[in-house]
Amino acid sequence: MAARSSALVCATAVALALAGCSAGDDGKPAEPADDASVSVSLSGTPSPSAPAAPSSAAPSAAPSGPTASASPGASDPAGATPPPSGTGQGRKLVTMTVTGGFAGVNREVIVRGDGTVRTADRGASGVRRATSAQFTRLRTLLADPALDDVPAFSLDGGAADRFRYTLQFDGRTVTTDRTGDEPALERLIDALEKWLPGT
């Protein structure tokens, strides 16, 4: 029994030394210096070490997967809008319809931004392309500032057998029988008439 008590005292002393304890000034054992836990077995066989407490200084792992929030980068700026899908080359630049006369004609020419010219005459239609010179000339005529002053209607009520020209361009519609004095409009009509069937 004395040998067992002596072994117990030795084991306790070793454990206290490992735990960093020492006797205080008042003769009582001092508190442990840190949070480490030590266990002592009476049988003299060492017990498995207690698992180490997780360190509060360890860096936490960054979130990953679908829950991770990604900040917008240069390839995906916030508020970016997709680029325009079309160039506008297929839109109509000008449409001219010619009706009336003794024979009651009904002809049409449509010029698009890509240089395509579509013509129609009493149901028969055709498509061709304007030459570079024709297209440049037409764009120049459409850009003439004098067209802004052309009235929407310029008709002579006493001439029922005249051709009536209806033009649509630049968001407006102009109708004339060519009896007025509008040189800019006359030049545009002359250029468009060259594409009409039978001229």
Side-chain angles (χ1 to χ4, degrees), residues 19 32-38:
D34 55 18
D35 293 337
S37 66
V38 178

Side-chain angles (χ1 to χ4, degrees), residues 33-126:
D34 55 18
D35 293 337
S37 66
V38 178
S39 65
V40 178
S41 172
L42 290 179
S43 64
T45 58
S47 63
S49 300
S55 170
S56 60
S60 61
S64 61
T67 58
S69 62
S71 60
S75 61
D76 187 22
T81 56
S85 59
T87 61
Q89 291 184 345
R91 69 181 180 87
K92 294 179 183 178
L93 284 182
V94 59
T95 300
M96 183 176 76
T97 305
V98 184
T99 57
F102 287 114
V105 303
N106 189 348
R107 297 183 292 177
E108 184 180 59
V109 57
I110 300 171
V111 183
R112 296 186 178 273
D114 60 359
T116 303
V117 180
R118 179 178 295 275
T119 58
D121 184 7
R122 296 182 181 274
S125 62

Side-chain angles (χ1 to χ4, degrees), residues 104-170:
V105 303
N106 189 348
R107 297 183 292 177
E108 184 180 59
V109 57
I110 300 171
V111 183
R112 296 186 178 273
D114 60 359
T116 303
V117 180
R118 179 178 295 275
T119 58
D121 184 7
R122 296 182 181 274
S125 62
V127 178
R128 68 180 97 169
R129 291 194 66 85
T131 65
S132 178
Q134 288 173 325
F135 193 66
T136 300
R137 168 80 174 147
L138 181 64
R139 296 296 294 262
T140 302
L141 293 173
L142 286 169
D144 190 338
L147 286 176
D148 296 338
D149 299 327
V150 172
F153 291 95
S154 175
L155 300 171
D156 180 1
D161 58 344
R162 286 188 168 274
F163 291 121
R164 179 176 291 194
Y165 299 81
T166 301
L167 293 91
Q168 295 176 321
F169 59 93
D170 207 21

